[in-house]
Amino acid sequence: MELKVNPTGRLRGELVIPGDKSISHRAIILGSLAKGKTLVRGLLEAEDCLNTIKAFQAMGVKIIKKSPGEYLIEGVGLRGLKEPEEVIDCGNSGTGMRLLTGLLAPQRFYSVLTGDASLRKRPMDRVIKPLTMMGARIWGREDKYAPLSIKGSVLSGLEYTLPVASAQVKSALLLAGLYAGGDLKLTEPGQSRDHTERMLKGFGVNLHKKDNRIFLDSKEEIRLYGQEINVPGDLSSAAFFLVAGLITGESEILLRNVGINPTRSGLLEVVKEMGGRIELLNQRQAGGEPVADIMVRSSYLKGIVIEGEIIPRLIDELPVIAVMASQAEGETVIRDAAELRVKETDRIRAIVRELSRLGVEIEELTDGMVIKGPSRIRGGVRVKSYGDHRMAMSLAIAGLLADDMIIIEDSRSINTSFPEFPGLLKQLFQ
Ligand code: S3P
């Protein structure tokens, strides 16, 4: 499948941003583990989350679609999951696979997790190692790659400092910790997204958190109670339109219902520092998360340095930030982002290659990149997405400025996180 993008002068309109992927995964998981019913509204109906729904259905959880984005989950309680008959396929989703590994390690049954070609190349040892320290029995190719086979075990507590700031590793350990015989004490080297902690608290789990330390006390009884959850829109999806509005001329876009959790909103800080005109309107809470409508207008941008503690708070937005930087005056330097190399593809290499093909002056660093702007974007070019949804969408945004149509190869991956993307982008053409 290919995505053809035509250049445009300006973008105008209002969009409602679909549900947050990270929060949707967690709502499905915790709703399944709760006692009683959980009603989720605004759930992201993209392949990644639909695979997580299928995984829980395969383990005996009734999950019923009531209307678009609205799902009723009949939770089975912490000990109510059943051994799945078949191998569980997590598709493209690192979040699905890593969180499930943590959850399946303490079950009283055997399970196998697999995924697509991209997911089978991503490191799972970052969850296997600490889970094994808790007593888990998990096997993978080269002790590291899926398919993973998991023989449920009795787990003990763990005191552990994560080697990288990763919400997926943290969340896998928290899920395992719900079943552990001892305390769980985690320290993060930097702040990663905290949706799991927020939602566990919402479901009634007494989790203690101070700075980058998290404590789950095994003396306290752990039980989750069914909830109503309104999933906010995904800032990582809004990011494409936000950048599109900033870099195209005379644009004005209102992005409605966007999650602005500070552990995720590094992009907004970067945009402001680069001189972007964005306004947060109608700030409110939804599903235990801060939400706003974001007004974005065409802007004159200048290059900046992006490094250090902000990186985990904007890690998924870096490909589209690179596109934005290509239109900023001067040099933008991105450092401390080596984690980008183990995402759905090596995103440092991919973005440097494909933006170069489009005529951008961009240089690869081991842990980031340097982009010089503003750059003309070459049209009439075919670019590769490497089967990575965020690469495909970032390149589409670059294409808005090209001097002719560009073609993005292998764009099917957009369905993993944002199937509405091409349609919504078209809506903004005026
Ligand atoms: C996610 C955590 C991040 C992020 C991913 C979603 C999550 O990954 O990049 O898209 O939902 O927990 P890491 O935990 O590997 O940093």
Side-chain angles (χ1 to χ4, degrees), residues 1-127:
M1 206 165 129
E2 293 177 344
L3 180 65
K4 295 185 171 122
V5 180
N6 286 306
T8 179
R10 61 176 201 174
L11 298 171
R12 285 190 174 237
E14 256 185 60
L15 302 177
V16 179
I17 299 299
D20 186 282
K21 182 148 76 78
S22 294
I23 297 174
S24 295
H25 278 296
R26 287 152 172 86
I28 300 160
I29 297 172
L30 298 192
S32 297
L33 299 181
K35 282 230 174 287
K37 293 182 178 166
T38 287
L39 183 67
V40 188
R41 289 193 201 88
L43 188 109
L44 176 67
E45 294 177 297
E47 283 173 6
D48 275 11
C49 300
L50 297 176
N51 280 324
T52 297
I53 289 183
K54 279 190 213 145
F56 282 91
Q57 288 172 329
M59 292 190 281
V61 183
K62 236 193 214 165
I63 304 178
I64 302 151
K65 178 170 175 166
K66 307 287 272 181
S67 64
E70 194 184 6
Y71 286 74
L72 185 68
I73 305 172
E74 294 189 14
V76 294
L78 280 174
R79 282 292 172 198
L81 296 176
K82 294 203 185 73
E83 182 169 273
E85 288 288 324
E86 301 281 347
V87 169
I88 292 176
D89 187 354
C90 301
N92 188 248
S93 178
T95 304
M97 181 169 284
R98 294 198 177 110
L99 270 57
L100 275 173
T101 304
L103 175 63
L104 292 172
Q107 303 302 323
R108 296 186 180 122
F109 54 73
Y110 171 76
S111 51
V112 181
L113 298 177
T114 193
D116 68 8
S118 149
L119 188 55
R120 292 197 309 270
K121 285 194 208 102
R122 296 182 63 189
M124 293 299 143
D125 50 336
R126 51 178 61 196
V127 288

Side-chain angles (χ1 to χ4, degrees), residues 22 26 95 98 126 165-168 193 315-316 339 343:
S22 294
R26 287 152 172 86
T95 304
R98 294 198 177 110
R126 51 178 61 196
S166 161
Q168 292 177 356
R193 63 194 67 193
I315 190 79
D316 291 344
E339 273 292 294
K343 295 294 177 188

Side-chain angles (χ1 to χ4, degrees), residues 325-328 330-332 360-363 370-375:
S326 78
Q327 300 310 308
E331 199 171 83
T332 295
V360 174
E361 216 180 306
I362 181 166
E363 182 198 324
V370 180
I371 307 130
K372 290 202 181 96
S375 191

Side-chain angles (χ1 to χ4, degrees), residues 28-293:
I28 300 160
I29 297 172
L30 298 192
S32 297
L33 299 181
K35 282 230 174 287
K37 293 182 178 166
T38 287
L39 183 67
V40 188
R41 289 193 201 88
L43 188 109
L44 176 67
E45 294 177 297
E47 283 173 6
D48 275 11
C49 300
L50 297 176
N51 280 324
T52 297
I53 289 183
K54 279 190 213 145
F56 282 91
Q57 288 172 329
M59 292 190 281
V61 183
K62 236 193 214 165
I63 304 178
I64 302 151
K65 178 170 175 166
K66 307 287 272 181
S67 64
E70 194 184 6
Y71 286 74
L72 185 68
I73 305 172
E74 294 189 14
V76 294
L78 280 174
R79 282 292 172 198
L81 296 176
K82 294 203 185 73
E83 182 169 273
E85 288 288 324
E86 301 281 347
V87 169
I88 292 176
D89 187 354
C90 301
N92 188 248
S93 178
T95 304
M97 181 169 284
R98 294 198 177 110
L99 270 57
L100 275 173
T101 304
L103 175 63
L104 292 172
Q107 303 302 323
R108 296 186 180 122
F109 54 73
Y110 171 76
S111 51
V112 181
L113 298 177
T114 193
D116 68 8
S118 149
L119 188 55
R120 292 197 309 270
K121 285 194 208 102
R122 296 182 63 189
M124 293 299 143
D125 50 336
R126 51 178 61 196
V127 288
I128 296 174
K129 277 184 189 155
L131 287 168
T132 304
M133 288 160 71
M134 297 174 82
R137 289 177 295 170
I138 305 169
W139 292 266
R141 285 191 178 137
E142 296 171 43
D143 297 328
K144 180 170 181 178
Y145 300 114
L148 302 181
S149 84
I150 304 167
K151 186 124 172 60
S153 320
V154 175
L155 300 188
S156 47
L158 177 72
E159 191 168 340
Y160 186 65
T161 300
L162 278 70
V164 286
S166 161
Q168 292 177 356
V169 175
K170 170 175 67 178
S171 303
L173 296 175
L174 282 170
L175 289 171
L178 298 176
Y179 297 82
D183 300 345
L184 183 73
K185 287 184 194 164
L186 300 179
T187 306
E188 282 199 276
Q191 177 68 261
S192 68
R193 63 194 67 193
D194 65 357
H195 306 304
T196 306
E197 297 93 299
R198 284 175 189 253
M199 205 182 284
L200 277 171
K201 280 189 184 161
F203 272 89
V205 176
N206 198 4
L207 180 108
H208 308 274
K209 192 163 179 186
K210 194 163 183 274
D211 303 323
N212 287 353
R213 270 186 242 272
I214 305 171
F215 180 57
L216 204 52
D217 187 343
S218 60
K219 286 187 290 299
E220 289 179 29
E221 200 203 352
I222 294 180
R223 197 172 278 181
L224 283 70
Y225 299 95
Q227 300 293 315
E228 273 193 27
I229 300 173
N230 292 309
V231 179
D234 199 324
L235 177 59
S236 300
S237 297
F240 302 107
F241 301 117
L242 203 140
V243 169
L246 291 169
I247 64 175
T248 50
E250 290 175 55
S251 293
E252 190 175 280
I253 308 172
L254 182 62
L255 303 167
R256 289 202 181 277
N257 184 39
V258 186
I260 52 164
N261 179 323
T263 63
R264 279 285 289 286
S265 61
L267 169 70
L268 304 179
E269 293 161 41
V270 159
V271 166
K272 284 196 182 136
E273 200 185 331
M274 292 177 86
R277 293 190 298 159
I278 51 169
E279 263 179 276
L280 300 187
L281 309 170
N282 192 15
Q283 294 195 35
R284 57 204 185 269
Q285 291 282 318
E289 297 270 344
V291 176
D293 300 331

